[in-house]
Each structure stands twice: as C-alpha cells, then as structure tokens.
Amino acid sequence: MADKIQALAELLTPVVLEAGVTLYDIELVREGGERILRLYIDKPEAQGVDLEDCERVSHAAEAVLDAKDPIPGAYALEVSSPGIERKLSRDEHFARYIGHDIALRLYAPVEHRKNFRGKLTAYENKTITLETAPDKTMAFEREAVALCRLAVFDE
C-alpha cells in the first residue's frame, strides 16, 4: 500500500502545487464498502485552505486520475484540509511540528498506558521524543506509534 500511496503522491503533487497549495497527505481507505481516495491539502499556516482550494484541486486531480487511471475500480475522491489537529504521518510532518504539543497512541502499552501527550522536542532516526512533564522526556520508535496528531485542544 505504501508504494501505491507514493506513486499517487508523485502523480498528484505537481497538480496540487499548480493549484497553489501543497499535498499534506494521502489516504486510500475502504469505508462502508466504498473505496475513498483522500487528498489533504495545506497552505502556509497564516492562510489556511478554503473551499475554492479544495474545488480547484479536486477538478485538477480528477482530470489526472481519469487520464492515468492509477487506481483500478471505482472509488470516491475527497479533498480537504488536514484540520487543526492534523495527523502527523510523514518525516517532514514531525520535523515541521517540533515544539508543538502532540498526542500519540501506541500499539502496545508503555508504563501501563497507550496514550501520551506532550511537547514534541525532537524527531531523529524515526524516534519521536516527547516532553510529557517538566522533568520527563520519553522517546518512542515511530513504528510503535499507531496514531499521532497535533494536540491543540485539551482532551
């Protein structure tokens, strides 16, 4: 699946950039028996993505996807902003949000729990370093993390 996502990113990145935004992430999922291709687009933090951006990218991406047909069978295309509590899934996401609060969920418990929240202080060699308390720092291997998001709101 990672190869398919990478190929889609290579195909769609120029289209998204031409529309004046960046490609933040791609998902190809099955929900309710339907396959969905989700493109998450972004702009510099001060601007944000609006409906016109999503429509512009949707029309441009549809044209390329119809011409190249990289996904066999039927699927729905969705284009949106990654949102304020966006998922961190790529190396560049972690690097970009060092110094921000994040929430992460592990596949297996550490210290009898799976959920952690704190300030992302470093990301090196696929290791996420999180300040979970004023005098406590924890490191998590990225492959042990099931989900990681920006934590803007209190849980």
Side-chain angles (χ1 to χ4, degrees):
M1 180 64 93
D3 290 342
K4 173 67 83 179
I5 296 298
Q6 181 61 35
L8 288 167
E10 289 172 9
L11 177 66
L12 295 170
T13 294
V15 172
V16 172
L17 290 173
E18 189 172 304
V21 295
T22 60
L23 184 61
Y24 183 82
D25 206 0
I26 297 178
E27 292 179 342
L28 183 58
V29 296
R30 184 171 296 277
E31 291 179 2
E34 181 180 36
R35 286 192 314 162
I36 301 170
L37 174 61
R38 288 195 179 107
L39 306 181
Y40 295 99
I41 60 174
D42 202 10
K43 280 185 175 176
E45 289 182 36
Q47 295 178 349
V49 171
D50 60 26
L51 183 58
E52 289 84 22
D53 294 321
C54 293
E55 288 175 350
R56 192 170 49 256
V57 169
S58 180
H59 293 302
E62 281 177 354
V64 169
L65 291 167
D66 286 346
K68 300 290 185 179
D69 199 23
I71 304 170
Y75 62 92
L77 174 64
E78 295 179 0
V79 179
S80 70
S81 161
I84 195 164
E85 289 194 325
R86 59 193 57 203
K87 182 172 72 169
L88 306 182
S89 58
R90 297 180 179 181
D91 292 341
E92 57 266 24
H93 297 163
F94 289 98
R96 177 179 175 183
Y97 291 107
I98 289 175
H100 289 78
D101 288 339
I102 65 170
L104 59 80
R105 181 180 323 127
L106 303 174
Y107 288 111
V110 170
E111 296 181 357
H112 307 291
R113 60 186 206 167
K114 289 185 178 182
N115 296 306
F116 293 86
R117 184 180 171 128
K119 182 179 289 188
L120 177 61
T121 58
Y123 180 73
E124 296 175 357
N125 301 319
K126 305 282 186 199
T127 300
I128 301 164
T129 305
L130 192 62
E131 182 181 288
T132 57
D135 292 326
K136 185 169 183 179
T137 302
M138 298 181 75
F140 303 94
E141 294 301 317
R142 186 153 158 224
E143 63 190 29
V145 176
L147 179 66
C148 186
R149 295 190 177 278
L150 283 183
V152 179
F153 301 106
D154 289 333
E155 295 177 355

